[in-house]
Amino acid sequence: MRQHSPQLLEVLSGSFTRRLFVYVFHGSDRLDYELAFESWSLDGDLGSAVALSGSGTVVHQSTAGESLTPVGTKGVLSPFRARLELVMEISAGQFVERVSLGIFRVESVPEARDFTADVNGQETVIASRVTVKLLSLAEDIRRWGFRFPESPPSFVSCYEELRRITEMPVEETVPDQPIPASTVWEAKQGGRLEAVQTLADILGGVAVVNSVGAWEIVPDEVGEPVATIRLGVQGTVLDVGNDIETDTVYNEVVGIFEDEKRRPIHAVAEVTTGDLRVDGPYGRHTRYYASDLVNTSTQAQTAVQSILDLSIGSQMYDVAIQCHVNPLIELGDVVELVGWTRPLVGRVVTLSMDSGALMNVSLRVHRDL
Amino acid sequence: MPYAPTLTPYIDESPCPRVEVFFEELHPDTATVTVLRSAGGREYQVRGAVRAVTAGTLSRIDFECPLNIPVTYRAEMFDDAGFSLGFTDPTLLGDVVAGLAPGESLAPDDDLPPGAWVVGTGLISDSTWLHNPLNPQGAVKVKALASTAQELSRPVPVEWSRPRGRRFAVGLAEPRQGLAGLQFDVFAPDLEIADKIQELIGDYSTTSVPVICIRIGLQDEPMRIPRPLFFGTEDIIERDINVRFRKGWTAQAMVGDEAEPPTPGLFIPLLTAADINAFYAGSTAAQLNNDHARAVDVNRRYDLAGYALQ
């Protein structure tokens, strides 16, 4: 969850005024522009390699005839140098607060146009309109590869290695772990970003660049909620999806293996109690499983049982929520949905917001069986 | 008073009423300045003086100064790293008093001495003036028609949302906008003025930004529009009153929204180097130096504006 004052939470639950603008950075220098951003959108998906992407149109009224249209590698909004910080300003009467939505790399400029007029007999730029596509700073790491295969100089700390290979700040959100000794980073396209995700796997999560431009690990398990989305009197929710899918819920696993002499081994595991029992109203849903690594009947029984546990044990499902725009909610936050038919706590796995007044998030929630 | 500007109003019509804002002295570290004009409760950047580069003095002609109201000018000074050095003291262009002894000036809260009287406030003009901020030479003096500014609308873009379980709608708004859909109709008593009004937003050979700076004169008061109003309009529709009867009257009708003044940093000079060169064409450099103690004095020879074209 992004930083905020306590009052902002109250303001966001009622009527408020919002405004979005962008700051331009070249390296560490912030340029003297506060640019309007039109028709913008920002989409996040915890499952993709570069988690956040966006687009929008920068509209700039020229102060002294300057243009924002990139020319070659030069220009204020040139994709070869510019980083944009998206800032949302929330106000309600005297209350004003600005929330940074994060710093993004300008990935491409699909469209740019200058508007001109005659001033003192010269054609002068009056305004520029530049459409940009944005990617999270993880894109910097995706583009930057290793020169040759290398192994970590120290296997003690995943975070130290994350700092070393990304050269970016890292926020330690989960306990540190040692790196397995056989780890080697490959020299290939996108290898460095894969290395980051490997480290995140060791730490038990997914690595994302958060809104202050630091890497953080979003843990796999749903922890304590940091944000609340409400329904009811103070609510902001317009719609909650209630989507139940049973296609991958198997209650019977049949294993077909071979022993060393290529004689077949059959092993079956099934649910015999509870709502998913095989003779119950759910019926049977069979999954077949084969593996070369299994060649005794004991191993076969263990294997099918573990597949069955995986199938019914920790079910995750996504709940789609449409609510009023809330700039505080970040990808990876654990959010509590209060006031719905039953309490729900889940991790934000996708998020999309745009110039409209509403945003869509989906929460990944555990289902108890 | 440190660094307060000297204001000199010009009420002649070549091309339109204007104010010279002259900063004789600025903070020694000043590299750039932004001059601000406040009037009628709003503050605007002065054209040509947005982060304008300076070497200790700055002189600008402000064609956008609203008419007949008190106007205050001040400047924010920046050093060469772009950090603010603070504001200069402001100078007020207030009541204009006639009948004072030469050399005598009046502090704002002083009583009028005997024999003196107030002739007006600020930059005095009876007429309403229209000009394109990028071409003050095309300024035109007009009279507003009765249909002008009868409705003043400033909408708020808002979406009324009804979350589940809430009794009342929640407003998800964006900042309130300036004047929208303002009707501004003016009367043109002859075809020359009608042509000048039409040229405000460009013609067959020139491209311009269709933003017009509107300054209301005494004869059109009271009118509750911003001072000045930057009026963005798509079209100026000319309505014939009696042109076809060879009298030449037209009504010029505009509908538009309040707009940002285009390229506020771009200064449109009246006085050019060509004017100075033309005036001193038969003289030597020594003559020029003799007439002016400092370089800024040459820059302020506004009496020579347009000399090259004469």
Side-chain angles (χ1 to χ4, degrees):
Chain A
M1 196 174 193
R2 297 185 174 98
Q3 287 204 337
H4 62 276
S5 69
Q7 295 94 311
L8 184 58
L9 285 179
E10 282 173 41
V11 169
L12 286 172
S13 69
S15 298
F16 60 86
T17 301
R18 71 190 187 284
R19 181 170 84 90
L20 190 103
F21 56 89
V22 293
Y23 289 127
V24 185
F25 287 81
H26 286 175
S28 57
D29 295 334
R30 196 180 93 187
L31 273 63
D32 200 9
Y33 293 106
E34 188 179 298
L35 299 168
F37 208 39
E38 279 184 356
S39 323
W40 61 276
S41 68
L42 194 61
D43 296 293
D45 184 352
L46 216 48
S48 52
V50 176
L52 276 168
S53 63
S55 66
T57 302
V58 169
V59 181
H60 173 62
Q61 165 160 290
S62 175
T63 305
E66 79 278 9
S67 157
L68 288 198
T69 304
V71 178
T73 57
K74 302 284 193 295
V76 171
L77 287 174
S78 162
F80 293 94
R81 49 157 74 144
R83 304 283 183 275
L84 298 186
E85 182 183 16
L86 270 59
V87 180
M88 188 179 275
E89 185 181 273
I90 301 291
S91 57
Q94 294 295 306
F95 176 88
V96 179
E97 188 158 332
R98 291 177 167 190
V99 180
S100 168
L101 299 183
I103 297 175
F104 297 87
R105 182 190 172 103
V106 177
E107 187 230 352
S108 62
V109 174
E111 209 180 327
R113 190 178 164 197
D114 284 339
F115 297 83
T116 60
D118 294 339
V119 181
N120 293 338
Q122 282 181 329
E123 195 175 17
T124 307
V125 176
I126 298 299
S128 306
R129 157 175 261 169
V130 182
T131 304
V132 293
K133 290 203 150 125
L134 306 172
L135 281 176
S136 147
L137 293 184
E139 173 71 4
D140 293 2
I141 305 302
R142 192 188 69 76
R143 292 180 174 215
W144 178 25
F146 292 105
R147 289 191 173 185
F148 36 78
E150 58 181 78
S151 59
S154 156
F155 294 94
V156 177
S157 160
C158 282
Y159 286 121
E160 280 310 310
E161 182 63 6
L162 197 54
R163 286 190 187 100
R164 187 187 74 85
I165 63 173
T166 61
E167 295 181 3
M168 282 167 73
V170 175
E171 280 179 20
E172 307 194 2
T173 47
V174 295
D176 202 354
Q177 304 282 344
I179 306 171
S182 59
T183 307
V184 173
W185 306 137
E186 289 179 70
K188 61 170 187 180
Q189 283 295 326
R192 199 171 290 258
L193 187 60
E194 273 181 33
V196 169
Q197 292 304 351
T198 308
L199 289 168
D201 284 345
I202 298 165
L203 290 165
V206 179
V208 290
V209 178
N210 65 14
S211 58
V212 297
W215 284 98
E216 76 172 39
I217 305 297
V218 175
D220 289 333
E221 70 262 24
V222 177
E224 284 298 301
V226 295
T228 309
I229 301 181
R230 286 173 200 281
L231 279 110
V233 183
Q234 286 293 304
T236 59
V237 176
L238 277 89
D239 201 9
V240 180
N242 201 354
D243 172 23
I244 299 176
E245 182 60 64
T246 62
D247 197 38
T248 57
V249 182
Y250 302 99
N251 56 2
E252 183 178 63
V253 178
V254 175
I256 303 162
F257 311 105
E258 287 175 339
D259 72 2
E260 278 145 358
K261 292 176 182 158
R262 306 194 72 80
R263 283 175 303 196
I265 305 173
H266 272 269
V268 174
E270 59 180 21
V271 182
T272 51
T273 54
D275 293 331
L276 294 186
R277 64 185 189 276
V278 286
D279 54 352
Y282 180 58
R284 287 174 190 267
H285 191 178
T286 310
R287 175 164 186 203
Y288 295 93
Y289 181 65
S291 170
D292 294 340
L293 299 171
V294 174
N295 40 31
T296 67
S297 58
T298 326
Q299 281 176 347
Q301 198 54 49
T302 319
V304 290
Q305 190 60 47
S306 70
I307 296 295
L308 183 68
D309 291 347
L310 209 67
S311 166
I312 61 165
S314 85
Q315 284 276 319
M316 305 276 245
Y317 65 107
D318 291 354
V319 177
I321 297 173
Q322 188 179 47
C323 62
H324 292 172
V325 64
N326 185 336
L328 299 178
I329 292 179
E330 256 184 300
L331 206 58
D333 281 343
V334 178
V335 171
E336 187 178 13
L337 182 65
V338 174
W340 199 41
T341 44
R342 61 199 174 80
L344 208 62
V345 175
R347 192 171 286 284
V348 176
V349 287
T350 70
L351 179 149
S352 79
M353 54 207 288
D354 56 27
S355 14
L358 303 176
M359 69 185 228
N360 292 294
V361 295
S362 57
L363 301 183
R364 184 148 295 169
V365 182
H366 283 282
R367 174 190 288 144
D368 300 319
L369 290 170
Chain B
M1 277 192 171
Y3 320 129
T6 309
L7 306 178
T8 316
Y10 294 89
I11 55 171
D12 60 73
E13 299 182 357
S14 52
C16 59
R18 60 203 182 274
V19 175
E20 188 209 358
V21 187
F22 177 49
F23 291 88
E24 179 124 31
E25 198 189 350
L26 292 163
H27 188 285
D29 294 339
T30 305
T32 59
V33 285
T34 297
V35 181
L36 301 163
R37 166 193 356 103
S38 61
R42 286 179 61 183
E43 196 163 58
Y44 292 83
Q45 292 173 334
V46 172
R47 172 161 300 276
V50 181
R51 293 286 176 112
V53 177
T54 171
T57 63
L58 186 86
S59 167
R60 287 287 183 269
I61 299 277
D62 183 15
F63 296 100
E64 293 160 13
C65 176
L67 309 171
N68 309 309
I69 58 170
V71 184
T72 307
Y73 286 90
R74 61 175 183 163
E76 186 172 12
M77 300 168 283
F78 300 92
D79 66 12
D80 50 10
F83 292 112
S84 177
L85 299 167
F87 289 92
T88 67
D89 278 337
T91 303
L92 174 74
L93 190 63
D95 289 345
V96 178
V97 179
L100 288 181
E104 193 180 347
S105 65
L106 208 59
D109 43 0
D110 277 359
D111 290 331
L112 284 179
W117 69 97
V118 175
V119 289
T121 305
L123 189 58
I124 302 165
S125 171
D126 253 357
S127 312
T128 293
W129 283 88
L130 308 182
H131 75 273
N132 187 315
L134 298 179
N135 182 21
Q137 299 286 5
V140 58
K141 191 165 76 167
V142 296
K143 186 164 174 25
L145 289 169
S147 52
T148 292
Q150 288 192 335
E151 266 183 5
L152 300 179
S153 153
R154 293 178 173 92
V156 179
V158 63
E159 190 172 313
W160 294 104
S161 166
R162 294 182 181 274
R164 279 164 53 167
R166 263 178 112 136
R167 286 181 203 283
F168 312 115
V170 177
L172 303 169
E174 285 174 60
R176 189 169 181 183
Q177 297 173 343
L179 285 170
L182 175 71
Q183 178 88 29
F184 204 94
D185 300 341
V186 297
F187 174 67
D190 58 51
L191 295 181
E192 193 189 335
I193 290 178
D195 284 345
K196 284 191 97 170
I197 294 172
Q198 287 297 323
E199 279 163 18
L200 286 172
I201 60 171
D203 58 23
Y204 289 109
S205 58
T206 54
T207 311
S208 195
V209 185
V211 173
I212 300 169
C213 174
I214 297 178
R215 299 184 290 166
I216 297 299
L218 274 180
Q219 63 183 6
D220 288 325
E221 294 280 13
M223 195 186 291
R224 283 168 49 74
I225 62 170
R227 308 299 167 98
L229 171 64
F230 290 97
F231 184 70
T233 181
E234 279 179 12
D235 196 3
I236 302 175
I237 298 166
E238 182 169 305
R239 294 212 177 90
D240 190 347
I241 298 174
N242 58 16
V243 175
R244 306 267 296 134
F245 302 105
R246 298 174 197 283
K247 290 273 172 54
W249 292 8
T250 56
Q252 307 279 337
M254 300 177 265
V255 177
D257 300 341
E258 198 171 344
E260 289 268 348
T263 54
L266 215 57
F267 180 54
I268 318 299
L270 263 190
L271 175 69
T272 61
D275 295 330
I276 304 284
N277 290 344
F279 187 77
Y280 284 97
S283 324
T284 57
Q287 183 69 45
L288 176 76
N289 292 342
N290 208 24
D291 287 357
H292 310 97
R294 298 168 299 171
V296 66
D297 294 334
V298 183
N299 294 344
R300 295 182 65 213
R301 281 298 296 272
Y302 294 112
D303 57 314
L304 300 182
Y307 191 86
L309 303 174
Q310 279 173 13

